[in-house]
Amino acid sequence: MGQALGCIQVDQSTVAVKENFGKFNDVLQPGCHFLPWCCGSQLAGHLSLRVQQLDVRCETKTKDNVFVTVVASIQYRALAEKASDAFYKLSNTREQIQAYVFDVIRASVPKLELDSTFEQKNDIAKSVEEELEKAMSAYGYEIVQTLIVDIEPDEHVKRAMNEINAAARLRVAANEKAEAEKILQIKRAEGDAESKYLSGLGIARQRQAIVEGLRDSVLAFSKNVPGTSAKDVMDMVLVTQYFDTMKEIGASTKSSSVFIPHGPGAVKDIASQIRDGLLQANTTHQ
């Protein structure tokens, strides 16, 4: 009804293009406008001023001959002050933008190797944005933002890259494990050596204490009991220790069977051997 009376409504964030007898006349801003059709005025169409997004998938090849699919996201909008250019100069804006994106990406990516492509995707996006800005400004469009949202190598290439990464990590893990085992073995050997050293030191001190104790006992007994020599006292001490040892062996329920010669002559031989060994040890210590 409004159009029949020559009235039209232009929505917010939209402009309308007015023609007079087929020739561009004016750009109508949002609101209500009178369009006298009887005088040759007519509405050519509407143009949205909102930011629009176009996702472009471009397949190309890197410098190291790896095929990748680059996904670029282009955000653009028509300029109100150049609405006539945006409306009349391009028949298909999205295809025009896509053609420029293809051109820039296929000129930039083949100069880079695959790893560098991932690292320099911001530089690629900047190159695309600069080229689009120069080209589309002449048609009344503004490039708001250009993003390289994804770089997709071939599936076989991605699988190979993952395998290489996994193998490298396993190699590092194996080296770390071997180094840990090496340190553990070194520490175990150092601990064993220290233990043996301390054990030997303890045994030497024990023997020294035994010798000094026997010597003090013999000297004290010789002084307190007249007519006894140091040899007699030593024999008596050794025989006493011999019988104490026999008693402990017999009283122990967990000890293995031990066969030793027993009798007055055997006791004498054992006493002589023990005495000679202790005296020899004492002489060596001194």
Side-chain angles (χ1 to χ4, degrees), residues 5-285:
L5 296 176
C7 293
I8 64 167
Q9 174 184 314
V10 180
D11 296 332
Q12 186 65 36
S13 299
T14 306
V15 295
V17 178
K18 175 185 175 183
E19 293 180 348
N20 192 19
F21 293 108
K23 182 180 179 181
F24 171 74
N25 180 264
D26 195 10
V27 175
L28 305 180
Q29 300 299 320
C32 183
H33 299 273
F34 178 66
L35 212 65
W37 57 269
C38 58
C39 297
S41 297
Q42 63 178 359
L43 183 66
H46 294 82
L47 182 66
S48 176
L49 301 180
R50 295 178 179 178
V51 175
Q52 303 180 61
Q53 179 167 312
L54 172 63
D55 292 330
V56 181
R57 298 179 63 87
C58 177
E59 186 178 10
T60 184
K61 185 178 71 170
T62 62
K63 187 177 180 180
D64 47 352
N65 296 323
V66 177
F67 282 91
V68 296
T69 299
V70 181
V71 181
S73 181
I74 313 299
Q75 298 174 355
Y76 66 98
R77 67 180 176 184
L79 298 173
E81 59 273 16
K82 295 183 178 181
S84 60
D85 292 337
F87 187 81
Y88 287 106
K89 287 188 175 181
L90 289 179
S91 60
N92 193 323
T93 306
R94 300 174 71 87
E95 288 187 1
Q96 184 79 8
I97 294 176
Q98 181 173 297
Y100 279 107
V101 173
F102 281 174
D103 181 66
V104 176
I105 290 179
R106 288 174 176 170
S108 302
V109 175
K111 298 178 182 179
L112 304 172
E113 294 184 353
L114 181 60
D115 293 339
S116 300
T117 303
F118 283 95
E119 295 172 359
Q120 301 182 27
K121 69 174 187 176
N122 290 335
D123 296 336
I124 298 173
K126 185 177 180 181
S127 300
V128 173
E129 183 175 347
E130 291 176 352
E131 188 66 25
L132 284 175
E133 188 68 36
K134 289 189 297 183
M136 298 305 294
S137 61
Y139 299 110
Y141 282 91
E142 176 191 10
I143 304 300
V144 179
Q145 186 73 28
T146 300
L147 302 172
I148 302 297
V149 296
D150 198 8
I151 299 175
E152 303 175 354
D154 183 80
E155 188 64 31
H156 298 290
V157 176
K158 287 196 291 186
R159 189 180 299 113
M161 293 174 65
N162 290 334
E163 290 177 356
I164 292 172
N165 196 338
R169 292 180 182 275
L170 288 175
R171 183 168 61 252
V172 172
N175 290 336
E176 293 295 332
K177 182 178 180 181
E179 189 67 23
E181 291 179 353
K182 174 183 175 182
I183 294 174
L184 186 62
Q185 291 180 359
I186 291 175
K187 292 299 181 181
R188 189 182 293 115
E190 291 177 352
D192 186 55
E194 184 70 16
S195 175
K196 291 180 179 179
Y197 169 76
L198 294 176
S199 176
L201 188 62
I203 292 173
R205 290 178 178 176
Q206 180 186 19
R207 290 177 178 176
Q208 179 182 357
I210 292 173
V211 170
E212 292 177 353
L214 290 175
R215 181 188 59 193
D216 294 340
S217 298
V218 169
L219 293 177
F221 196 87
S222 299
K223 292 180 180 178
N224 295 328
V225 181
T228 58
S229 64
K231 180 178 180 302
D232 296 334
V233 177
M234 190 66 178
D235 289 340
M236 184 181 67
V237 170
L238 292 178
V239 170
T240 302
Q241 289 184 346
Y242 170 77
F243 282 110
D244 289 340
T245 302
M246 295 290 292
K247 181 179 178 181
E248 291 180 1
I249 293 174
S252 177
T253 58
K254 297 182 179 180
S255 60
S256 302
S257 298
V258 179
F259 296 94
I260 57 175
H262 184 66
V267 173
K268 181 179 179 181
D269 294 338
I270 293 174
S272 299
Q273 294 175 11
I274 295 176
R275 182 179 61 252
D276 293 341
L278 290 174
L279 291 177
Q280 184 178 0
N282 187 30
T283 304
T284 303
H285 175 72

